[in-house]
């Protein structure tokens, strides 16, 4: 079923940042004079937010640049989105967070952030971010937010400069009380040129990054992942990393990036503009991005791979940076993927298991079917009849047996799928709180 608009959008609130990270993926960073702060017009943002809401986007990430340079504006946009029943995330390096700014954001309804930490080591962090005294400020901010119950995920972009720091950085993140730790292989920007290519990880270094992530997970119990897609064929023992790597790139498929000027791109890495949300509806722009969804941008080696559904062929922008075109292979692609036996469909749910529909579930009507949305990772499209069933079950406890008797139709397969997507919950001690 085709989506009428993206599920999620990353909206840049500013092109300015108090840090100048050498790995920054934003293409416009390499089209300036290298100065930290640039002149920009931010007056268009209220209308951009308004039109994103009108397009029925279900999740918005406010990003930059550094949004905390303009914390009052950021708080206003958070409230505007929350009041419109849009889930909101915030990407920030947190080094500018003060108690006053924290209070403003809390009042606006912020519940969690994705922040960045390039190393446990202050010197390395400052070298990579081209900043001074930001390391300790970021650590204090993480501790402050986590102590108050915020969801705080910490992302470490991994390059040649810090590739040996993943494990100790993950341990530090755990000590700070963070909710999750992400180690993400640096994605080279085509605009970043040779300097970016020289900083990217090779296959063996990527594998070591994942090993270090697993070590953090095993020793601390911290949720770990990697944020950018990595081709599943890059190593033969992929089964070991499957739960970390099972991430299909969402660019142009379920998400978009929107600039401070309203320009719509497939993602923040991408420099190609498909239209401007200030000049036409996002839904119309979305239709012109079909090449990201119909496999037009995939290399032939990926199109018939049995792992395509899970990895999406890796990163198209990485392919462009390494090989000159988005329809070339990601640098880590080998074409030698074989689906491990353990990745076959899990057993169907027990028909006697007590279940219920998850709370805080939102939905969007499509031309065919309905999107059921829980989080950016957990959403699905169902047909209209299934949606009627889900709506009728809200607030009720049930089993698959009861449901099948009432409807006189098999429901085990679809309920198992909805359970995997956390639309339906049950079967463990935490389900009553979800």
């Amino acid at each position: 079923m085709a989506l009428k608009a993206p599920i999620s959008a990353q909206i840049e609130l500013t092109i300015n940042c108090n840090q100048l990270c050498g790995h920054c993926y934003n293409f416009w960073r390499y089209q300036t004079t290298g100065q930290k702060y640039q002149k920009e017009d931010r007056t268009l943002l209220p209308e951009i937010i308004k039109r994103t809401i009108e397009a029925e986007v279900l999740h918005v990430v406010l990003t930059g640049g550094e949004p905390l340079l303009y914390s009052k504006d950021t708080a206003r946009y958070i409230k505007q989105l929350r009041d419109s029943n849009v889930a909101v995330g915030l990407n920030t390096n947190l080094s500018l967070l003060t108690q006053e700014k924290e209070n403003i954001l809390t009042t606006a309804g912020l519940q969690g952030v994705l922040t960045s930490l390039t190393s446990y080591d202050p010197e390395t962090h400052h070298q990579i971010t081209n900043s001074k005294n930001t390391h300790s400020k970021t650590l204090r901010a993480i501790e402050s937010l986590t102590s108050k119950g915020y969801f705080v995920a910490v992302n470490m972009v991994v390059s040649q400069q810090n590739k040996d720091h993943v494990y100790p950085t993950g341990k530090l993140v755990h000590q700070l009380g963070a909710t999750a730790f992400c180690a993400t292989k640096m994605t080279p920007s085509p605009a970043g040129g040779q300097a970016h290519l020289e900083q990217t990880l090779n296959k063996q270094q990527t594998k070591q990054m994942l090993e270090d992530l697993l070590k953090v997970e095993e020793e601390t119990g911290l949720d770990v992942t990697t944020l950018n897609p990595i081709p599943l064929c890059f190593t033969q023992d992929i089964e070991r990393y499957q739960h970390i790597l099972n991430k299909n790139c969402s660019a142009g498929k379920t998400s978009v990036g929107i600039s401070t000027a309203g320009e719509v791109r497939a993602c923040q890495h991408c420099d190609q503009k498909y239209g401007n949300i200030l000049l036409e509806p996002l839904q119309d722009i979305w239709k012109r991005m079909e090449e990201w969804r119909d496999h037009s941008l995939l290399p032939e080696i990926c199109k018939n791979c049995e792992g395509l559904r899970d990895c999406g062929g890796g990163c198209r922008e990485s392919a462009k940076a390494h090989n000159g075109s988005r329809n070339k292979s990601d640098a880590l692609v080998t074409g030698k993927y074989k689906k491990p036996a353990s990745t076959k469909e899990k057993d169907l749910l027990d028909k006697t298991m007590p279940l219920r529909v998850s709370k805080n579930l939102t939905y969007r009507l499509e031309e065919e079917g309905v999107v059921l949305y829980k989080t950016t990772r957990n959403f699905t499209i169902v047909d209209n009849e299934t949606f009627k069933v889900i709506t009728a079950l809200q607030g009720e406890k049930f089993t698959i047996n009861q449901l099948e008797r009432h409807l006189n139709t098999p429901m085990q397969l679809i309920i198992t799928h909805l359970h995997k997507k956390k639309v339906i919950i049950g079967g463990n001690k935490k389900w009553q709180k979800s």
Side-chain angles (χ1 to χ4, degrees):
M1 299 181 188
L3 295 172
K4 65 183 180 183
I7 299 290
S8 179
Q10 291 205 12
I11 300 179
E12 294 169 352
L13 299 187
T14 175
I15 65 172
N16 287 318
C17 186
N18 63 317
Q19 298 180 354
L20 281 175
C21 300
H23 58 248
C24 184
Y25 55 72
N26 275 308
F27 71 91
W28 37 255
R29 183 65 60 85
Y30 306 95
Q31 298 173 348
T32 67
T33 62
Q35 295 176 351
K36 187 169 290 188
Y37 299 111
Q38 306 293 322
K39 292 183 179 179
E40 60 178 341
D41 182 3
R42 301 181 58 257
T43 62
L44 302 175
L45 284 166
E47 185 65 20
I48 291 171
I49 299 290
K50 176 176 176 288
R51 295 194 178 205
T52 302
I53 293 170
E54 290 173 348
E56 299 182 75
V57 172
L58 299 173
H59 177 257
V60 167
V61 176
L62 301 176
T63 185
E66 175 48 56
L68 293 190
L69 284 169
Y70 310 98
S71 56
K72 291 182 180 179
D73 288 345
T74 299
R76 185 167 67 251
Y77 302 141
I78 290 171
K79 186 177 188 305
Q80 183 180 356
L81 289 161
R82 289 291 302 270
D83 287 348
S84 299
N85 200 31
V86 178
V88 187
L90 179 65
N91 289 358
T92 167
N93 62 50
L94 283 181
S95 64
L96 296 176
L97 187 70
T98 63
Q99 189 59 58
E100 179 185 3
K101 290 181 179 181
E102 183 181 322
N103 292 341
I104 291 172
L105 295 171
T106 300
T107 300
L110 182 66
Q111 296 177 319
V113 301
L114 173 66
T115 191
S116 55
L117 184 68
T118 61
S119 176
Y120 72 98
D121 175 55
E123 183 178 349
T124 302
H125 179 82
H126 294 144
Q127 182 181 15
I128 292 174
T129 60
N130 286 291
S131 64
K132 296 180 180 180
N133 304 319
T134 58
H135 188 266
S136 59
K137 293 176 182 178
T138 295
L139 299 191
R140 284 198 298 270
I142 293 171
E143 268 193 311
S144 176
L145 293 178
T146 56
S147 68
K148 295 166 185 170
Y150 273 85
F151 177 95
V152 180
V154 180
N155 182 46
M156 174 185 178
V157 176
V158 184
S159 66
Q160 295 296 332
Q161 289 179 277
N162 61 352
K163 63 182 185 296
D164 299 323
H165 295 199
V166 175
Y167 172 71
T169 303
K171 293 279 283 187
L172 173 61
V173 167
H174 176 254
Q175 292 168 9
L176 294 171
T179 315
F181 175 58
C182 319
T184 302
K185 171 183 170 290
M186 173 188 169
T187 297
S189 165
Q194 188 62 31
H196 264 200
L197 295 177
E198 291 174 355
Q199 282 297 316
T200 58
L201 306 184
N202 61 30
K203 291 183 178 69
Q204 186 55 45
Q205 291 165 340
T206 300
K207 186 174 180 180
Q208 185 59 53
M209 179 190 79
L210 298 176
E211 282 293 332
D212 292 341
L213 263 182
L214 288 180
K215 188 176 180 182
V216 172
E217 180 184 51
E218 291 164 0
E219 293 187 9
T220 68
L222 190 64
D223 285 340
V224 301
T225 190
T226 186
L227 297 184
N228 289 342
I230 295 177
L232 296 180
C233 62
F234 93 100
T235 180
Q236 291 300 303
D237 53 352
I238 194 63
E239 188 171 4
R240 177 167 172 77
Y241 315 112
Q242 190 80 32
H243 67 293
I244 298 176
L245 295 184
N246 199 2
K247 187 184 274 64
N248 194 322
C249 178
S250 65
K253 300 173 185 174
T254 61
S255 66
V256 295
I258 305 176
S259 75
T260 55
E263 297 158 338
V264 179
R265 311 189 300 272
C267 71
Q268 306 306 86
H269 297 68
C270 180
D271 61 356
Q272 182 174 345
K273 305 165 189 174
Y274 288 85
N276 192 305
I277 195 172
L278 297 172
L279 301 178
E280 59 183 321
L282 182 58
Q283 294 92 325
D284 292 344
I285 300 172
W286 182 248
K287 292 176 183 177
R288 291 200 293 273
M289 302 174 73
E290 185 63 29
E291 62 182 355
W292 290 85
R293 302 185 285 276
D294 66 7
H295 296 172
S296 296
L297 296 179
L298 285 178
E300 291 300 321
I301 195 173
C302 293
K303 289 183 178 179
N304 296 316
C305 176
E306 59 182 345
L308 179 61
R309 182 177 179 182
D310 293 325
C311 89
C315 176
R316 296 300 87 219
E317 291 306 302
S318 177
K320 181 180 179 181
H322 281 284
N323 296 314
S325 173
R326 290 192 182 97
N327 60 9
K328 299 291 185 181
S329 294
D330 184 299
L332 296 183
V333 165
T334 66
K336 299 178 181 179
Y337 175 75
K338 287 190 176 181
K339 198 168 188 177
S342 63
T343 65
K344 293 179 180 179
E345 285 294 326
K346 293 183 179 180
D347 293 338
L348 297 175
L349 285 178
D350 184 337
K351 289 188 175 185
T352 64
M353 178 187 297
L355 303 167
R356 71 170 173 82
V357 176
S358 178
K359 296 179 181 178
N360 301 319
L361 189 67
T362 57
Y363 67 90
R364 186 178 78 190
L365 301 179
E366 300 290 327
E367 293 181 4
E368 295 181 14
V370 181
V371 173
L372 300 176
Y373 176 89
K374 180 66 178 176
T375 68
T376 51
R377 290 188 185 181
N378 295 303
F379 65 86
T380 189
I381 305 178
V382 297
D383 60 35
N384 292 324
E385 291 304 312
T386 301
F387 177 62
K388 289 178 182 178
V389 172
I390 297 301
T391 301
L393 288 172
Q394 287 183 326
E396 302 292 334
K397 294 181 181 179
F398 65 93
T399 67
I400 296 175
N401 270 339
Q402 292 172 335
L403 197 58
E404 290 184 336
R405 284 197 298 269
H406 179 73
L407 298 174
N408 194 30
T409 188
M411 293 295 294
Q412 192 175 25
L413 187 62
I414 182 61
I415 295 299
T416 298
H417 169 72
L418 294 176
H419 185 267
K420 181 179 179 181
K421 293 296 183 180
K422 302 190 185 305
V423 171
I424 299 291
I425 54 177
N428 60 64
K429 294 180 181 179
K430 295 181 180 180
W431 74 280
Q432 292 177 324
K433 300 178 182 180
S434 298

